[in-house]
Amino acid sequence: MDRFILLMLASILSGFALLKVPLEGSFLESLQPVTDVIGLLAILVFSLFLIFKGVMALVGK
């Protein structure tokens, strides 16, 4: 189970990395809005999942 939680944390970090990646001046500059949306979704989904797992562990299920 610890490896699964570490995978979720790594996914959150990769979402932050997608938000901070500099694409200005490259041929990928047009993809900047797409990478921002994917990064935000990754952060939100995996953070909410970790919060849910934490609440379920506190409740005892």
Side-chain angles (χ1 to χ4, degrees):
M1 188 62 163
D2 292 331
R3 298 182 100 190
F4 187 68
I5 300 234
L6 288 175
L7 179 66
M8 295 295 125
L9 289 174
S11 301
I12 293 171
L13 287 176
S14 67
F16 279 114
L18 267 176
L19 286 178
K20 293 294 182 179
V21 68
L23 295 178
E24 291 83 21
S26 70
F27 66 96
L28 296 173
E29 187 173 5
S30 63
L31 295 177
Q32 182 73 37
V34 175
T35 58
D36 287 344
V37 169
I38 292 172
L40 283 172
L41 285 176
I43 294 167
L44 286 174
V45 167
F46 292 115
S47 296
L48 288 174
F49 181 76
L50 283 178
I51 291 170
F52 174 74
K53 291 298 273 186
V55 168
M56 293 313 271
L58 286 174
V59 171
K61 291 185 177 186

